[in-house]
Amino acid sequence: LTLTILYFITFSLFMVYTSGQPDQAPHRHYAYRYSETWGIPEEQSGTSYVVTGQPYLAYWIYGAIYKIFRFVFPSSPIRSDHLWRFTSVFISSFTIIYMNKLAKKATNNPYAGVLAAFFLSNIITFVFISGGISYDNLMNLAGAATIYHLVSLYKKEDFVRHSTLTGFWVIVGSLAKEQFLLMTLIIFLAWLFFNLT
């Protein structure tokens, strides 16, 4: 697993220094706007990007990391978009860890976990997005973590802990990207079914 994660990080770091996926412009804009404040930025005239109603958690994290990094290293030559891409690689590394845990939990086979992590780290789309600025990275992490804790519930493990963590990751995913709301409904129905049976 360690070798797989190191391999993924190395590959993704190469992607950091490419132009990345073509839809990064709005993500970069929102990340920059959130780096100007600790709250929700005000609407800006003269731009087509609207802050109100947008899922904000990934952008808020990008903004917070940028502010903290600039406070600690004020003269660092690292560009903001590279810093945000490094953050994306870091987030996606935890997605691989959760994928390993999920496959291992579902199959009761540690080798299946490593194999699943290896396969995920070799999906070119996943690596491509992981090296770019996007809310998809946080949503992917939330999805893998949510399913892992739900499977742990079905395996009759600590109910309170795994219900709480399922709820936490559902909230994270929903605040990261609107499309996660459909998964939220499915997860809730699966959790309800578990409690009623």
Side-chain angles (χ1 to χ4, degrees):
L1 179 62
T2 302
L3 289 174
T4 298
I5 291 172
L6 288 175
Y7 159 78
F8 165 75
I9 290 173
T10 303
F11 192 18
S12 296
L13 289 179
F14 284 115
M15 301 300 287
V16 164
Y17 289 99
T18 66
S19 58
Q21 71 264 28
D23 67 341
Q24 285 184 105
H27 299 303
R28 186 184 298 110
H29 173 80
Y30 289 124
Y32 180 76
R33 291 301 318 280
Y34 276 87
S35 71
E36 299 172 341
T37 176
W38 285 105
I40 307 294
E42 296 180 0
E43 294 294 355
Q44 193 175 44
S45 59
T47 178
S48 60
Y49 299 120
V50 179
V51 172
T52 305
Q54 291 286 342
Y56 62 87
L57 185 58
Y59 304 130
W60 188 90
I61 290 172
Y62 284 136
I65 286 173
Y66 180 77
K67 287 190 290 284
I68 293 168
F69 183 82
R70 285 299 171 209
F71 178 77
V72 177
F73 305 105
S75 58
S76 172
I78 295 178
R79 291 171 23 194
S80 60
D81 54 341
H82 286 164
L83 178 64
W84 292 328
R85 290 174 184 171
F86 292 141
T87 303
S88 293
V89 172
F90 180 76
I91 290 170
S92 291
S93 297
F94 281 97
T95 306
I96 292 175
I97 291 170
Y98 262 107
M99 181 58 68
N100 167 68
K101 292 169 59 131
L102 173 58
K104 188 162 55 175
K105 180 79 66 179
T107 63
N108 293 318
N109 185 340
Y111 298 108
V114 174
L115 195 61
F118 179 75
F119 284 152
L120 179 60
S121 65
N122 280 280
I123 296 174
I124 192 64
T125 307
F126 177 75
V127 178
F128 188 59
I129 293 174
S130 297
I133 306 166
S134 174
Y135 48 25
D136 291 310
N137 302 303
L138 186 59
M139 186 195 70
N140 290 337
L141 171 59
T146 300
I147 295 170
Y148 166 76
H149 291 294
L150 186 65
V151 168
S152 298
L153 272 178
Y154 273 79
K155 290 271 189 175
K156 310 290 186 185
E157 296 181 12
D158 189 333
F159 176 81
V160 174
R161 177 174 179 270
H162 288 293
S163 289
T164 302
L165 288 170
T166 299
F168 169 79
W169 284 111
V170 158
I171 291 169
V172 168
S174 300
L175 293 177
K177 190 173 181 179
E178 291 173 348
Q179 284 80 353
F180 196 88
L181 291 173
L182 176 58
M183 185 172 175
T184 299
L185 174 62
I186 295 168
I187 293 294
F188 173 73
L189 292 175
W191 179 86
L192 192 63
F193 176 78
F194 172 80
N195 284 279
L196 294 177
T197 56

